[in-house]
Every structure is written in structure tokens, then in C-alpha cells.
């Protein structure tokens, strides 16, 4: 009898998962169409892009988070009761817990599906993912109970429900704003760009450091290079021209990293928490374009096989793509700053009266944006082959 109750709950969960997955597929399709249609992040959000958003004042999950947390706690508690009931073949308790789990699951899905677009794509996607993970973890537990009912009775309750508990905690700890997620993502992207910078440095130093000869590494590295040469993939000795070119490419990646780091710091400022749908939309564009910069930087490093002149077509294309990605990011940054100043009232002089230090911030922001723009233009000229 308990097995039947669990089977019914599993059917209800799968229906919830189907609804969530259909919504995710629809959102992905719309996001793709929006990206290809606009393809010009860096311009002010169009009236069509934000149609229906400006009238919606909900820009974070501050009001919704208590309800989401309560639902997650309820799932955590009821799944424990269901596991204990299954172990004891307690039909009454299993039916009660099963009913509450089905109700909470539907409510969580409803919450995810009714989020206003004004919250921003990142926050909406994250909640979808967290709810999906919770329902999947719960369904996995139920499937185990159905296919191996005897083994469930032997499992410790904590072990049997651990995955569900972890998924519940993830919902409880969900960031409440698009800007909080953007800060984390931009910081992570900055770290990835650091890796690309380090790879350039390794390329400059690898096999050309005299200290390797002294400690015995030189011979081993030479052996590895010989093996690679036999396969046609060995690293050639860098010419002075190659070194200068790689250093300039490294500087370009450092410039991109600087812009991403500056944006991460700016987004994290309390006064820059998304106050409007426009601000959240601009943040989504910033993070998407920063991610494209990482892809372009990785492609550039991956194509830097000396001698550089021999790979001019590949590296030339990679340089152009990185410069284009950075230019689009800087344009999007200017849009985001303008939206933030509008939302904060700085454009009307309010900030000047209230806080002179804050009023001077726009000039500082414009200064580093101009610096990065100039740097990229100059480096693009130096990297032409």
C-alpha cells in the first residue's frame, strides 16, 4: 500500500517537472531570439524589449523569499517523515506526507513559473534550476523506493534524504537579486580570465627558463618537446617577434579582465542593487557579454602556436573576436551605468546635493571605460599580422 502512495506521488512530481522543463525550453528559445534580434548589446533597452516591465515594480525576491524558504523547509520535513513511514510501512503517515509533498512541489513550480520578467533572466533561471534539482532529487528517492523497496528500509533516514535536504537548502540560500548573482558570475569570469593571462605567461617562460637546466627539468622538458615534435604538435622556440606579440595579446586579455573586475566591484555596491527592470535587463547583458569575452580569450590562447606568423589567420581572427567582445562589453557597461544613474537620480543632480563623493563617481566610471576602450584600439593595431 505504501508503494502505491509513493508511485502516485512520483507521477505528480513528474508532471511538475514536465511543466518546469517546458517553461525552461520556452525561455531558452525566447532568450535566443532576443539575443539574435538585438545582437547589439550596448544600446539602450528598447521599448519593446522592456514592454510590460516598467509597470512591474518587482525587481528582486525580497518579498517572495520567505514563502520559498517555508516551502523548502516543508519539503525537507515531509520527506523525512515519508522516509520513516516507508521504513515502518505506515500507510497513514505516508499518505499525509505524500500529499503535502505533492502540494509543496506544485506551489514551488507555480512560484518559478509566475516570476515577473522584471527580476532578470539570471535570477529567473537560477530559481528554475534550483526547483528542478529539488524535484529531481525527490523523484530519484521515490524511484529507489519503488524499484528497491526493501533496500530503503535498510537505509539511514539521513542518507536516504540527504540529496533532497541539500536541494532544499539551496533554495533557502537563493540570492534575492539579479545583481547578487551578477556579482558572483563576474567575479568567476574575472578568475577565468586570470587563467588565460597565466597561460600566456607560461607560454613565454616554458622551455626558455635557464633555471630548468640547473635542476634537471630542462632535459625532461626537452624530451617531452621531442615527443611532441614527432607528432607534429611541438612548441617551437619563441622568436623576439613572437614574445612581443604574445605580451601584447596578454595585455589585451588583462585589459578585458580589468573591465570585468571593475564591473564586478561596481555591481556589488549597495547603491547599484537593481532598482528597475531596465537595470536587471542591462545586468543580464553584461554577464552574457563578459562570458563571451572568456570564450574569445580562450580561443586566442588556444590558437597562439608559435611561430605566430605561421598561424596568422587563426590568431588574427581570435584577436578580432576578443576585441569585438570587449568593445560590446564596454558599450553594455555604459548603458548599465546610465540606467543606474537614472535610477539613483544622479542625472538630475540629486546625488550632487546629497553626496558629493557619490556624484563624482560617474566621472571615475567614464574614465576607466574610456581607458579600456583606448587600450583595446591601440593593442588591436599592434596585434595585426
Amino acid at each position: 500500500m505504501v508503494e502505491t502512495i509513493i508511485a502516485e506521488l512520483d507521477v505528480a512530481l513528474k508532471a511538475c517537472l514536465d511543466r518546469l522543463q517546458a517553461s525552461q525550453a520556452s525561455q531558452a528559445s525566447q532568450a535566443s531570439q532576443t539575443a539574435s534580434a538585438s545582437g547589439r548589446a550596448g544600446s539602450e533597452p528598447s521599448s519593446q524589449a522592456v514592454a510590460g516591465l516598467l509597470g512591474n515594480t518587482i525587481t528582486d525576491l525580497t518579498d517572495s523569499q520567505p514563502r520559498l524558504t517555508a516551502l523548502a523547509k516543508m519539503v525537507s520535513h515531509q520527506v523525512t517523515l515519508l522516509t520513516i513511514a516507508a521504513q515502518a510501512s505506515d500507510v497513514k503517515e505516508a499518505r499525509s506526507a505524500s500529499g503535502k509533498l505533492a502540494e509543496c512541489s506544485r506551489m514551488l513550480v507555480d512560484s518559478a513559473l509566475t516570476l515577473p520578467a522584471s527580476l532578470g533572466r539570471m535570477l529567473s533561471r537560477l530559481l528554475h534550476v534550483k526547483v528542478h534539482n529539488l524535484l529531481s532529487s525527490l523523484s530519484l528517492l521515490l524511484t529507489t523506493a519503488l524499484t528497491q523497496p526493501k533496500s530503503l528500509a535498510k537505509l539511514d533516514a539521513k542518507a536516504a534524504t540527504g540529496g533532497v535536504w541539500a536541494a532544499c537548502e539551496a533554495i533557502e540560500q537563493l540570492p534575492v537579486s539579479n545583481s547578487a548573482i551578477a556579482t558572483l558570475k563576474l567575479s568567476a569570469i574575472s578568475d577565468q580570465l586570470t587563467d588565460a593571462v597565466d597561460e600566456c605567461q607560461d607560454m613565454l617562460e616554458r622551455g626558455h627558463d635557464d633555471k630548468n637546466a640547473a635542476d634537471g627539468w630542462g632535459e625532461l622538458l626537452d624530451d617531452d618537446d621531442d615527443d611532441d615534435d614527432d607528432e607534429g604538435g611541438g612548441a617551437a622556440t619563441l622568436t623576439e617577434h613572437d614574445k612581443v606579440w604574445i605580451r601584447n595579446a596578454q595585455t589585451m586579455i588583462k585589459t578585458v579582465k580589468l573591465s570585468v573586475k571593475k564591473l564586478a566591484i561596481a555591481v556589488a555596491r549597495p547603491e547599484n542593487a537593481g532598482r528597475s527592470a531596465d537595470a536587471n535587463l542591462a545586468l543580464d547583458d553584461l554577464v552574457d557579454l563578459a562570458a563571451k569575452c572568456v570564450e574569445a580569450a580562450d580561443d586566442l590562447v588556444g590558437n597562439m602556436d608559435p611561430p605566430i606568423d605561421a598561424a596568422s589567420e587563426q590568431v588574427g581572427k581570435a584577436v578580432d573576436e576578443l576585441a569585438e567582445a570587449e568593445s560590446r562589453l564596454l558599450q553594455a557597461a555604459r548603458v548599465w551605468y546610465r540606467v543606474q544613474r537614472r535610477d539613483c537620480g544622479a542625472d538630475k543632480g540629486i546625488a550632487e546635493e546629497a553626496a558629493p563623493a557619490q556624484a563624482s563617481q560617474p566621472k571615475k566610471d567614464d574614465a576607466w571605460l574610456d581607458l579600456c576602450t583606448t587600450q583595446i584600439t591601440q593593442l588591436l593595431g599592434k596585434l595585426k599580422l
Side-chain angles (χ1 to χ4, degrees), residues 40-45 259 262-263 266-267 278-279 282-283 285-286 289 326-342 347 361-377:
R40 61 179 190 282
S43 58
E44 292 284 2
S259 63
K262 284 280 191 180
L263 287 170
V267 171
D278 282 356
L283 272 179
D285 288 341
L286 273 185
L289 289 169
E326 170 69 350
S327 296
R328 293 181 64 196
L329 175 63
L330 294 174
Q331 291 169 6
R334 293 181 191 278
V335 170
W336 178 75
Y337 276 122
R338 285 198 294 271
V339 172
Q340 286 300 133
R341 293 167 195 169
R342 182 202 68 189
D347 286 343
Q361 190 61 46
K363 293 182 180 179
K364 296 179 182 178
D365 297 332
D366 290 340
W368 78 256
L369 287 168
D370 292 341
L371 178 64
C372 287
T373 300
T374 301
Q375 179 82 317
I376 289 297
T377 301

Side-chain angles (χ1 to χ4, degrees), residues 52-76:
L53 299 190
L54 296 178
N56 197 326
T57 57
I58 301 176
T59 57
D60 59 40
L61 289 176
T62 301
D63 294 333
S64 302
Q65 185 65 2
R67 182 169 182 268
L68 292 171
T69 297
L71 288 171
K73 287 183 179 294
M74 176 66 75
V75 170
S76 181

Side-chain angles (χ1 to χ4, degrees), residues 197-213:
V197 171
D198 291 343
E199 286 185 52
C200 291
Q201 192 62 35
D202 289 343
M203 189 176 299
L204 290 168
E205 298 175 355
R206 190 186 307 130
H208 305 282
D209 194 339
D210 291 340
K211 71 179 182 181
N212 285 330

Side-chain angles (χ1 to χ4, degrees), residues 31 95 124 135 150 176 180 200 217 224 241 252 266 324 346 358-359 367:
R95 189 177 297 282
S124 179
L135 298 184
K150 292 183 179 179
V176 299
C200 291
W217 281 103
D224 287 342
H241 172 265
M252 178 177 278
E324 173 65 17
Q358 184 176 335

